[in-house]
Amino acid sequence: MSTWSGRRSEPLFAPPSVVKTVEPSGAILLESSIPLPAYERCVGEWLVRWAEERPDTTFLAERDADGGWRKVSYSQALTRVLGLAGWLLSTSASPEHPVLVLSENTVEHALLALSAMHVGVPVATVSTAYSLLSHDHAKLKAMVELLDPSVIHVSDPDAYAGALDAIDDLHDAVILAGRAPEKTSRMVQLLDEADLPEASSAVSSAFHAIGPDTVARLLFTSGSTGTPKAVINTHRMLTSNQAANAAVWTFLEKNPPVIVDWLPWSHTFGANFTSNTVLRNGGSLYIDTGKPAPGLIERTIANFKDVKPTISFNVPRGYDLMAQALETDAELREVFFNMDLVMNAAAALPTTVWENLKRLSRNTIGREIPIVGSWGSTETAPLATHCHFQVENIANIGLPVPGVILKLIPNGDKLEVRVKGPGVTPGYYRHPELTASAFDEEGFYIIGDAVRFADPDDPSKGLFFDGRVSEDFKLASGTWVSVGELRVAGIDALVPLVQDVVVSGHGRDEIGFLLIPNEAACRACAGLSADAPLAEVLASDAVRDKIAEGLHGLKAQGGGSSRYATRARFLLAPPNPDAGEITDKAYLNQRQMIANRADDIEALFGDRPEDFIDLKRAEVPAA
């Protein structure tokens, strides 16, 4: 049954419907009953359409120096894109020499990316962490060598000076800057609007030569081990993905979305899903410089109040902080709960956060705002499954979207899932050997995840994400541990003192948690000042007692030794993006964290009581 919008009179979603086929091998094929609509030849057709049909509608906006919004309409965006595309054609830009972007999300970044795609030149946006947080820039260097870029765009040549120096002798690209340098003497090229060429026949010819298989984007994987891989994203992948999206989120075409979004364009969620949801449906994207972190979430909150978006896209940490703000901010509640829906992606939303949002929604508008999830990867552009129904459990990732076929293969006590469809990548840029190993003999992409049915007797009820096949492990007893499920349960049990959990215990008798602390909450619990050393805060009896209580509560939920941890240890050093421990969406790489934190693992499972927190601490009466 479709869910109805609180602000609008029409249903939000197409009814859930799926076809299930069991093959002789035991594999299960799932595909949507909803046909995939026709989709555009290329991304540029979206911009051309809206520049004609909605020329004065705001397409992109960002805060200016005075705190107001600098807005770019669809007609202005197309004019700018055509000029930039003409300039790109005057350089060495080509499918063999992409445009590399070292920048946060900005209007210039968006327009340059659209310009490259408009004339068949791939654009590769690299996570800012590789430029601004890295010490050795090793991964950035490897990316530059792989791409051999024609143009490198930096928003701020001073901020990115270290990165530019690190790659200086690896390329012959033009450095295109968003603004003139103030501190460095680096030679960069600035393109003011007045300097751009007029739209030319060369631009038109290049645009019309683009086909569905033309490469639009190159998006890098997290690179947890070795060099990050550049995933080929074709125009077909992006346009078919959005056609599938609109086929199940039926409100999008009638009600163009207005979005306030921070999600980085170096990642498929921000670059492909949120941005293209706006562009494909003629909506408006307000670039948010906030982040899901204390001190930055306030910017997001201010932008929400100002813009009043119609959809929220975010990751679990963002919704955790937003839920805390919603508790005390009546104005924010009115804005947030009058949107069409809330979508979480990139990682599972903890149940405690979900329940808080539902409660606040009921108290504000008398009903629960739809809160849904999806599932996919950089290789699936990213949408492979989508929730187009109100879920009863936030772990539900929905059903395959139109055009996608899921193959579920029995793998131990799990169902490994593989993906085929027009939104699936043809492979990895300049890595044929990686491409060959990424697909099975039937052409299904081997994503490495597992799923299970929400209701084995009714596949239309959706699927639950059941962890990474490679992350799960066995205890010494032979009992399998489902890392993804236990991680979410652990976070739920230990909030608010813990931001995230690393599950460990491979081959051991028991499970242990490495904990990423929520520093502000831990300081409040310990009753110590803001300048007290973090180690002192985390060693306080109040904090250790609270963690032990959480571990005890998790065990009390039942389910055996694979469902709880007996001990935990705080990590003082935060996750390191240089070491592949965290993505730019703040999602932990469990395997890499365990590999990199061997000393902490040994201490966690050692015999010195001061090195870990034992759940038995909660069972011992206070002296």
Side-chain angles (χ1 to χ4, degrees):
M1 181 176 180
S2 300
T3 300
W4 289 72
S5 167
R7 300 187 308 111
R8 314 196 188 279
S9 59
E10 69 277 356
L12 290 173
F13 306 135
S17 181
V18 68
V19 176
K20 176 183 175 182
T21 305
V22 180
E23 296 191 318
S25 65
I28 300 168
L29 300 182
L30 290 181
E31 52 188 313
S32 176
S33 304
I34 302 168
L36 176 65
Y39 47 88
E40 290 76 10
R41 171 179 59 89
C42 63
V43 167
E45 289 193 344
W46 293 332
L47 181 58
V48 171
R49 174 188 176 185
W50 299 121
E52 293 174 352
E53 296 182 18
R54 310 187 72 200
D56 299 325
T57 296
T58 296
F59 168 35
L60 297 166
E62 65 184 351
R63 291 289 188 185
D64 59 26
D66 297 324
W69 289 103
R70 172 202 170 197
K71 299 179 179 180
V72 178
S73 70
Y74 276 98
S75 62
Q76 290 170 330
L78 180 59
T79 299
R80 179 83 169 169
V81 162
L82 294 176
L84 276 167
W87 176 81
L88 284 173
L89 291 180
S90 72
T91 72
S92 60
S94 69
E96 292 73 36
H97 300 285
V99 171
L100 174 63
V101 179
L102 311 180
S103 171
E104 61 281 2
N105 297 0
T106 67
V107 166
E108 283 76 15
H109 178 170
L111 295 177
L112 178 63
L114 288 171
S115 302
M117 288 188 277
H118 202 85
V119 288
V121 176
V123 60
T125 297
V126 170
S127 169
T128 57
Y130 294 130
S131 297
L132 303 180
L133 300 181
S134 176
H135 297 293
D136 59 13
H137 298 99
K139 288 191 169 75
L140 178 60
K141 292 175 183 177
M143 293 172 179
V144 171
E145 291 180 324
L146 173 70
L147 295 176
D148 191 14
S150 55
V151 174
I152 299 176
H153 169 62
V154 290
S155 54
D156 182 341
D158 292 319
Y160 288 85
L164 291 175
D165 286 341
I167 62 175
D168 190 53
D169 60 349
L170 300 177
H171 67 85
D172 296 315
V174 176
I175 306 297
L176 179 64
R179 68 174 183 82
E182 296 176 1
K183 301 174 184 177
T184 71
S185 59
R186 179 175 297 279
M187 295 298 294
V188 298
Q189 182 161 346
L190 295 171
L191 281 182
D192 294 325
E193 194 162 350
D195 297 331
L196 293 175
E198 296 289 333
S200 66
S201 59
V203 170
S204 179
S205 296
F207 175 65
H208 287 98
I210 294 172
D213 293 321
T214 301
V215 181
R217 285 189 181 274
L218 297 168
L219 287 173
F220 284 93
T221 60
S222 61
S224 57
T225 57
T227 304
K229 299 173 290 187
V231 180
I232 296 170
N233 279 213
T234 65
H235 284 268
R236 174 188 282 111
M237 290 172 63
L238 306 189
T239 57
S240 67
N241 220 245
Q242 284 301 315
N245 186 31
V248 294
W249 280 11
T250 53
F251 69 99
L252 284 174
E253 293 181 332
K254 295 180 180 178
N255 304 300
V258 177
I259 296 174
V260 172
D261 193 53
W262 69 271
L263 291 160
W265 296 337
S266 55
H267 188 274
T268 187
F269 190 10
N272 288 343
F273 189 75
T274 62
S275 299
N276 287 346
T277 295
V278 169
L279 179 55
R280 192 265 182 193
N281 298 292
S284 302
L285 173 59
Y286 288 78
I287 297 171
D288 179 22
T289 58
K291 291 286 190 299
L296 292 174
I297 191 68
E298 291 79 7
R299 296 183 191 176
T300 299
I301 291 169
N303 289 337
F304 261 66
K305 292 179 181 179
D306 191 9
V307 174
K308 298 178 176 57
T310 61
I311 306 174
S312 172
F313 297 115
N314 217 322
V315 298
R317 181 59 177 152
Y319 286 123
D320 183 11
L321 292 171
M322 188 67 76
Q324 295 175 38
L326 288 164
E327 292 279 4
T328 57
D329 193 327
E331 181 185 357
L332 179 61
R333 288 197 297 271
E334 288 299 321
V335 170
F336 191 87
F337 293 114
N338 277 287
M339 296 186 296
D340 287 322
L341 60 82
V342 172
M343 178 179 170
N344 172 74
L349 187 68
T351 304
T352 49
V353 177
W354 183 52
E355 293 291 349
N356 284 340
L357 289 173
K358 292 197 297 179
R359 171 181 55 81
L360 290 164
S361 180
R362 291 192 299 267
N363 293 343
T364 303
I365 59 175
R367 63 176 179 86
E368 293 179 6
I369 188 173
I371 304 174
V372 298
S374 68
W375 169 84
S377 70
T378 308
E379 288 85 351
T380 63
L383 202 58
T385 72
H386 216 352
C387 278
H388 48 104
F389 50 90
Q390 181 63 66
V391 299
E392 297 178 359
N393 185 322
I394 195 56
N396 200 314
I397 59 172
L399 295 167
V401 296
V404 164
I405 303 174
L406 300 184
K407 180 167 66 171
L408 313 184
I409 304 170
N411 185 341
D413 60 352
K414 294 200 171 192
L415 290 173
E416 180 188 347
V417 58
R418 298 179 181 182
V419 190
K420 180 187 284 188
V424 174
T425 182
Y428 299 100
Y429 190 67
R430 294 174 176 161
H431 274 298
E433 70 288 351
L434 293 176
T435 298
S437 63
F439 298 89
D440 68 16
E441 65 282 355
E442 295 181 306
F444 282 84
Y445 170 60
I446 305 170
I447 196 169
D449 290 346
V451 297
R452 68 180 189 274
F453 287 101
D455 181 345
D457 297 323
D458 185 358
S460 70
K461 294 291 181 66
L463 298 165
F464 289 166
F465 176 71
D466 202 19
R468 296 283 294 166
V469 174
S470 62
E471 284 184 351
D472 292 350
F473 60 83
K474 283 184 179 181
L475 295 171
S477 62
T479 303
W480 276 102
V481 176
S482 179
V483 169
E485 189 175 351
L486 183 56
R487 170 187 165 271
V488 174
I491 295 171
D492 280 337
L494 300 175
V495 293
L497 301 188
V498 169
Q499 289 186 21
D500 216 327
V501 167
V502 178
V503 181
S504 61
H506 184 279
R508 298 181 185 270
D509 294 327
E510 55 193 353
I511 295 169
F513 287 164
L514 295 179
L515 309 178
I516 311 299
N518 180 336
E519 187 172 335
C522 288
R523 289 185 184 280
C525 179
L528 296 175
S529 64
D531 57 355
L534 181 59
E536 180 182 343
V537 171
L538 301 179
S540 70
D541 285 338
V543 169
R544 292 172 70 86
D545 288 346
K546 192 71 174 175
I547 293 298
E549 289 172 13
L551 295 176
H552 188 264
L554 184 61
K555 179 182 179 182
Q557 295 176 19
S561 60
S562 67
R563 307 286 294 180
Y564 67 91
T566 63
R567 52 179 67 197
R569 174 179 170 85
F570 277 110
L571 294 175
L572 288 174
N576 181 0
D578 260 0
E581 294 179 342
I582 191 168
T583 72
D584 46 9
K585 303 188 316 302
Y587 184 65
L588 289 181
N589 184 319
Q590 294 273 330
R591 293 183 69 193
Q592 200 61 33
M593 286 289 292
I594 290 172
N596 294 352
R597 307 295 180 119
D599 290 344
D600 283 297
I601 293 290
E602 288 305 311
L604 172 65
F605 289 103
D607 55 11
R608 290 173 15 119
E610 64 270 25
D611 286 341
F612 60 90
I613 304 166
D614 195 318
L615 72 82
K616 294 178 182 178
R617 181 184 179 96
E619 302 169 349
V620 179

